[in-house]
Amino acid sequence: MKTNRRNFLKTSATTALGLSGLTVISPSVLGKPMGYVAPSDKVNLACVGIGNRGNQIIKALAETGLCNIVALCDVDMGAPQTLEVINMFPKAKHFQDFRVMFDKMGNEFEAISVATPDFSHFPVTMMGLKSGKHVYVEKPMARTFREVELMIQAAKKYPKLATQMGNQGHSEANYFQFKAWKEAGIIKDIYAVTAHMNNPRRWHGWDPNITSYPPAESIPSTLDWDVWTAQAEPHAFNKDYHNGQWRCWYDFGMGALGDWGAHTMDTVHEFLDLGLPYEVNPTLLKGHNPFFYPMSTTLEFKFPERGDMPALTLSWYDGVDNIPPVPAGYGVSEVDPNIPATNQGQVQPAKLNPGKIIYGKDLTFKGGSHGSTLSIIPEEKAKEMESMLPEVPESPSNHFANYLKACKGEEKTRSPFEIAGPLSQVFCLGVMAQWTGLKIEFDRETKQITNNPLANQVLAGMPPRKGWEEYYTV
């Protein structure tokens, strides 16, 4: 029988009470549901970025029953997408500037969630770690390679603080299945992976022949644009930078790769020990321009041999007209399932859901994104292997509960910065290839781009905006 200190103490206390003639009263008898956690035992949480995706994250964190939402911070506390959250947590204090929040009530919370635009994850996270706070940050961790590196270093400096990146698949079935299949030798000798996201993106209706940034517009009265800009190069306000549009621009977001790569490549990257690539080659950049992301992109990431694992090429496809080839026996994933297969052993579906195809020496796997599990293809091979597949354990907690339990010392996070950081840096190198339009040759040891001095300079990071330099020290 398995036990631990907490269960031992609980059993010992029950025994002691029974010996003294007392009755143990369960929470349900007192009118409290089973699993009830007293407010004093919950994690006091401050939430930075509460609209759009932040709205969803805060609700998910609150639904665990493991936290008290004590502070809400957003650069626009009067927008419709933030008002809903404000009304849900009437006792929480409100701030427009995260720096003021830390100054005013930093001693009233022990953890933060960060769901701001990609580029501004960095300063909030760094202030959180330096202030002794546990940090949950959305994916990708940051916009630049250097910023991610500093976040990794800060997490190492403060090892007692829990860090978690928001790639929820790390707490769902795919994570535990991939781990179990890898350990059992089902997933082995992987030499190629295709990851794909072929849904329309916000910029697909824009003109790629753009020659300048959009013109200045009036700043909404409820928005603090200076704080929104944070450490980034200043831009005059335009609606096409705000409310999720930031993802379109190299200056602010990470495009489709940064958005969906963490949901398709994550388990491959961790359990196949990929680390950083030695080469990133952009083989397709349709509608390339220096301002916003291409209409369609194909990138090839090259990884060397790792121990007894072979060299691996990871190919990324995005764009509605850039569907990757799939192997024979892939199955149906088309808009129209009546589209016939070709006789060349390749099927070109009209549409693929976001996911991945994993090619091994002996077996091929297909999978979706987030927590979607893998299946062996073709179906005949899957049936042949069925009796050999190991049992997959269930997740002990969802991604949000995992973070909050880690804050309390009850679990370890499954996507800490030491794991999520190198994955985010893969995206940073991919974006560098998209922006330059050139092949990137990368030294995995020195972490330098060796074939393009300008790209290497940008990799090191442009100087932060004046007044934001303090976040770039660990």
Side-chain angles (χ1 to χ4, degrees), residues 81 84 152 157 159 169 177 188 201 215 217 278 316 319 376 389 434 439:
Q81 67 267 20
E84 180 188 6
I152 296 171
K157 184 175 181 179
Q177 180 205 37
K188 65 178 181 178
R201 308 303 290 161
E217 296 177 343
Y278 66 84
W316 166 261
I376 297 170
L389 300 177
Q434 286 180 294
K439 180 173 72 173

Side-chain angles (χ1 to χ4, degrees), residues 181-464:
W181 283 17
K182 173 66 168 57
E183 291 173 350
I186 303 299
I187 298 176
K188 65 178 181 178
D189 299 326
I190 305 302
Y191 63 88
V193 176
T194 295
H196 47 87
M197 197 288 177
N198 303 109
N199 294 351
R201 308 303 290 161
R202 292 172 182 263
W203 58 89
H204 279 161
W206 294 1
D207 182 3
N209 296 315
I210 185 173
T211 57
S212 63
Y213 288 104
E217 296 177 343
S218 298
I219 301 173
S221 60
T222 55
L223 173 64
D224 189 328
W225 184 246
D226 182 71
V227 176
W228 186 95
T229 302
Q231 83 281 16
E233 179 183 347
H235 287 264
F237 173 81
N238 185 283
K239 65 181 183 301
D240 280 336
Y241 296 143
H242 194 32
N243 288 336
Q245 301 290 79
W246 46 264
R247 179 163 282 126
C248 310
W249 305 92
Y250 288 111
D251 281 2
F252 300 128
M254 295 285 284
L257 177 61
D259 189 17
W260 280 85
H263 296 314
T264 56
M265 302 179 185
D266 54 346
T267 47
V268 167
H269 185 269
E270 178 177 354
F271 295 120
L272 298 185
D273 193 24
L274 293 184
L276 298 172
Y278 66 84
E279 181 180 302
V280 185
N281 190 16
T283 59
L284 174 69
L285 297 173
K286 182 179 179 181
H288 179 264
N289 68 83
F291 299 98
F292 63 83
Y293 285 89
M295 299 299 169
S296 301
T297 295
T298 305
L299 298 172
E300 289 184 349
F301 296 88
K302 303 280 189 179
F303 298 90
E305 294 181 0
R306 299 148 338 273
D308 61 353
M309 291 183 283
L312 184 150
T313 298
L314 193 161
S315 300
W316 166 261
Y317 290 78
D318 69 47
V320 295
D321 59 351
N322 187 31
I323 314 297
V326 299
Y330 182 89
V332 174
S333 186
E334 306 98 321
V335 173
D336 181 1
N338 297 312
I339 296 175
T342 64
N343 59 5
Q344 274 87 48
Q346 294 272 325
V347 181
Q348 188 72 21
K351 177 180 172 61
L352 284 179
N353 291 319
K356 52 189 167 283
I357 307 167
I358 302 170
Y359 298 88
K361 177 182 176 183
D362 300 316
L363 294 174
T364 303
F365 309 84
K366 74 171 180 179
S369 66
H370 294 72
S372 299
T373 54
L374 299 174
S375 57
I376 297 170
I377 54 175
E379 187 177 356
E380 295 76 19
K381 189 65 176 178
K383 291 179 179 178
E384 177 187 326
M385 295 290 299
E386 189 172 2
S387 63
M388 303 169 59
L389 300 177
E391 183 177 350
V392 177
E394 293 186 5
S395 175
S397 55
N398 70 27
H399 210 52
F400 305 99
N402 176 229
Y403 168 61
L404 294 169
K405 288 185 176 185
C407 294
K408 299 170 68 175
E410 297 174 3
E411 291 186 3
K412 291 184 178 180
T413 52
R414 288 183 281 273
S415 188
F417 288 1
E418 65 192 77
I419 291 173
L423 175 64
S424 294
Q425 289 178 319
V426 171
F427 308 149
C428 293
L429 292 171
V431 165
M432 190 69 63
Q434 286 180 294
W435 176 64
T436 61
L438 302 172
K439 180 173 72 173
I440 298 294
E441 294 177 1
F442 186 74
D443 187 318
R444 287 161 44 101
E445 298 299 323
T446 64
K447 298 183 180 179
Q448 300 285 308
I449 294 173
T450 59
N451 68 323
N452 189 318
L454 174 60
N456 194 55
Q457 182 179 349
V458 175
L459 186 76
M462 301 298 287

Side-chain angles (χ1 to χ4, degrees), residues 112-125:
I112 62 173
S113 67
V114 184
T116 60
D118 292 351
F119 76 96
S120 55
H121 291 174
F122 173 74
V124 186
T125 295

